[in-house]
Amino acid sequence: MQAFDCAIVGAGPAGMSAALALTQGGADVIVLDRADRAGGQIYRSASSSPLPDAASLGPDYAAGADLITRFERSGAKHLAGADAWHIGDDGRILFSYQGDTRELHCREMLLCPGAMERPMPIPGWTLPGVMTAGAAQVMLKSDAVVADGAVFAGSGPLLYLIVAQYLRLGVRVAALVDTTPRRHYLDAAPLLPRAWRQVGQLRKGLSLLREIRAAGVDTYRYAENLEVIGEETAKGLRFSISGQPHEVSADTVFLHHGVQPNLNMTRAMGLAHHWNNAQMCWQVTVDEFGQSAISHVSVAGDGAGIVGADGACAAGRVVAQNMLYHLGRVSRTGRDRNSHADLYYLSSMKPFRRFIDCLYRPTEALRLPRDTETLVCRCEEQSLGDLRAGFEQGARDPNALKSLTRCGMGPCQGRQCGHVVTGLLAQWRKESPDAVGYYRLRSPQRLLTVDELGRYNTIPAEAAK
């Protein structure tokens, strides 16, 4: 069967940038993306924003519109609404498209699954009206929908960005509850001189904080012991600062505690992963060119480790050069020459990344639940108490705990609870997350119907021409 030169899963910054470089290098490229339009989460709807003035979302978002336009004109075949659910180490990809199951084969494969927000399993986090800051951005970017008078709680650049974007649009924000511990500022201070090399990135963050202060938003710093108020729906947020209790009333609470790579695609392939202690998450093991232990499989963007939009674009271009080298379209020397600037940029970003990782390191109190009634697995409604009982019955690793409690067996396949389960078992076993491990995942990576499986088609490489 004839194969595509390259197949890319995911049309975010990394996937689009890689597709541009690959098509410029003469490769036949197909890009699968579950969204209706290219852009990923960061550049969602950047080229077709429903907002009257998309400039309110900032210059970085506006830059995404240009990347999307260039990608759409690149010559790469783009299948929007294509949801990949099996990635084979034999170069085969199975995906859902327009109600059918489709299959394609490729010589080189690039996975760009992106990132997902870290769960914040505090009491009440599953109540209606409680969402993530990323959900606030999805509603804003996709449908121009906002939540007036919401509370934003947590820490990190994304949280401050969405608050600033709300304010620019004239949307009322009830409060910003910042959970960054005081000690983190002291821990991160020694890393600031080297991070200052990326002064532009630091200025962006500082400008967001100044913008929020200038707007007069009630801001609470060093918040602890967060709890969503409400019985049937969210009614606000309760927390403490230096032992002093506080409450803020609101019908919508947005939580954010950083992002982590979306692992299911790379885990289901059986790729090697390692624990990133700085970012407190698992990430796939790849070399500087994004290549995994499987010679024709690469990973780029936040799915390979959190690097941000600019870093994802650079990583996508680097991986593309390595794939062109594998295809015999550039020499090894040409690959290294073409990748030099992007590799240098990625290297220069590391001190800044270390500073950010230290400053906004997820705290155990917000990363792991404390109340025995707090749900850990939302799909199967398994609480902290249920999981502890499973552990006491002898389930010492994530897969054993899954078998005993069904935690991680729901439709999300552990995306929400996986890191929490690893963290809890590490705490109970008094061992490292590396020693505990993660769920064993398999295809399919989404729910399928028998009817869909019965409608089966193959996408030939000629379709890319």
Side-chain angles (χ1 to χ4, degrees):
M1 178 182 295
Q2 187 178 0
F4 290 90
D5 287 336
C6 308
I8 300 173
V9 181
M16 290 189 293
S17 298
L20 281 165
L22 287 166
T23 54
Q24 289 167 4
D28 292 331
V29 181
I30 185 168
V31 181
L32 310 179
D33 189 44
R34 67 176 58 179
D36 293 332
R37 295 293 303 271
Q41 170 64 1
I42 295 176
Y43 295 143
R44 182 183 294 270
S45 302
S47 62
S48 56
S49 175
L51 293 168
D53 183 13
S56 60
L57 299 185
D60 289 343
Y61 180 69
D66 175 64
L67 178 59
I68 293 171
T69 299
R70 288 188 291 118
F71 165 68
E72 290 176 340
R73 295 173 179 172
S74 67
K77 183 174 179 61
H78 176 212
L79 291 186
D83 197 352
W85 51 263
H86 173 76
I87 312 293
D89 58 10
D90 57 354
R92 182 174 61 147
I93 300 177
L94 299 177
F95 58 99
S96 298
Y97 183 65
Q98 297 181 345
D100 297 346
T101 291
R102 307 289 179 97
E103 176 185 356
L104 65 83
H105 288 248
C106 60
R107 298 181 180 88
E108 291 289 322
M109 186 184 297
L110 172 57
L111 309 181
C112 303
M116 58 179 291
E117 281 185 274
R118 183 187 303 277
M120 192 189 290
I122 62 175
W125 76 298
T126 57
L127 284 171
V130 182
M131 292 175 278
T132 65
Q137 278 212 323
V138 169
M139 293 188 298
L140 178 61
K141 293 176 179 179
S142 297
D143 303 302
V145 172
V146 297
D148 186 63
V151 173
F152 289 81
S155 66
L158 177 61
L159 185 73
Y160 311 137
L161 174 60
I162 184 60
V163 171
Q165 290 171 338
Y166 260 47
L167 296 173
R168 293 168 196 164
L169 293 168
V171 182
R172 182 173 60 92
V173 174
L176 169 61
V177 180
D178 195 325
T179 62
T180 309
R182 191 188 305 270
R183 67 179 183 276
H184 283 197
Y185 290 93
L186 300 176
D187 292 342
L191 303 175
L192 184 57
R194 293 196 66 192
W196 197 254
R197 297 174 186 175
Q198 292 293 330
V199 63
Q201 298 291 337
L202 292 170
R203 284 175 176 166
K204 286 180 186 178
L206 291 172
S207 68
L208 291 175
L209 295 174
R210 285 196 298 268
E211 192 173 346
I212 294 168
R213 283 197 298 269
V217 175
D218 289 340
T219 302
Y220 301 85
R221 299 180 67 192
Y222 316 125
E224 300 177 299
N225 305 313
L226 274 63
E227 178 183 355
V228 178
I229 305 168
E231 295 294 331
E232 300 297 326
T233 63
K235 296 299 181 183
L237 189 70
R238 182 181 296 124
F239 54 96
S240 65
I241 299 176
S242 300
Q244 184 70 29
H246 295 268
E247 284 190 10
V248 179
S249 297
D251 293 330
T252 306
V253 178
F254 291 115
L255 303 176
H256 180 73
H257 206 214
V259 295
Q260 58 197 23
N262 192 338
L263 300 176
N264 284 43
M265 192 175 294
T266 53
R267 282 280 181 182
M269 279 200 76
L271 299 181
H273 290 69
H274 62 275
W275 180 256
N276 184 326
N277 201 51
Q279 297 182 355
M280 296 299 290
C281 63
W282 293 99
Q283 68 180 64
V284 64
T285 302
V286 294
D287 66 13
E288 65 174 342
F289 286 97
Q291 185 177 308
S292 73
I294 301 176
S295 61
H296 64 276
V297 178
S298 302
V299 190
D302 284 341
I306 307 304
V307 293
D310 292 340
C313 289
R317 292 190 293 266
V318 167
V319 170
Q321 291 301 319
N322 195 47
M323 294 168 77
L324 290 171
Y325 166 61
H326 288 174
L327 293 168
R329 295 183 179 271
V330 296
S331 65
R332 186 186 186 93
T333 301
R335 177 201 69 176
D336 295 345
R337 181 181 62 250
N338 296 341
S339 304
H340 177 75
D342 285 317
L343 286 172
Y344 177 81
Y345 171 76
L346 291 169
S347 178
S348 70
M349 283 292 293
K350 289 180 180 178
F352 172 75
R353 187 74 256 173
R354 283 192 286 269
F355 170 76
I356 292 296
D357 290 344
C358 182
L359 180 59
Y360 299 120
R361 181 181 174 85
T363 62
E364 185 173 292
L366 296 177
R367 189 169 56 87
L368 304 178
R370 294 179 169 183
D371 191 319
T372 56
E373 299 302 315
T374 299
L375 287 182
V376 175
C377 177
R378 303 179 68 155
C379 298
E380 297 295 328
E381 298 186 341
Q382 293 296 299
S383 68
L384 172 62
D386 295 326
L387 300 189
R388 181 69 195 194
F391 176 76
E392 297 295 345
Q393 291 176 50
R396 290 296 193 268
D397 65 75
N399 296 304
L401 198 61
K402 179 198 287 188
S403 298
L404 196 61
T405 66
R406 292 193 58 83
C407 181
M409 286 190 180
C412 90
Q413 296 182 314
R415 288 173 175 85
Q416 284 290 317
C417 64
H419 278 81
V420 179
V421 167
T422 291
L424 289 172
L425 287 171
Q427 184 184 76
W428 296 337
R429 287 170 43 173
K430 295 181 173 56
E431 293 184 88
S432 69
D434 251 331
V436 169
Y438 193 79
Y439 291 136
R440 181 172 56 250
L441 302 179
R442 299 183 179 91
S443 297
Q445 296 166 38
R446 63 179 292 274
L447 297 179
L448 297 170
T449 65
V450 174
D451 182 54
E452 180 183 323
L453 284 172
R455 296 196 296 270
Y456 194 94
N457 294 284
T458 299
I459 305 292
E462 301 90 86
K465 294 183 171 63

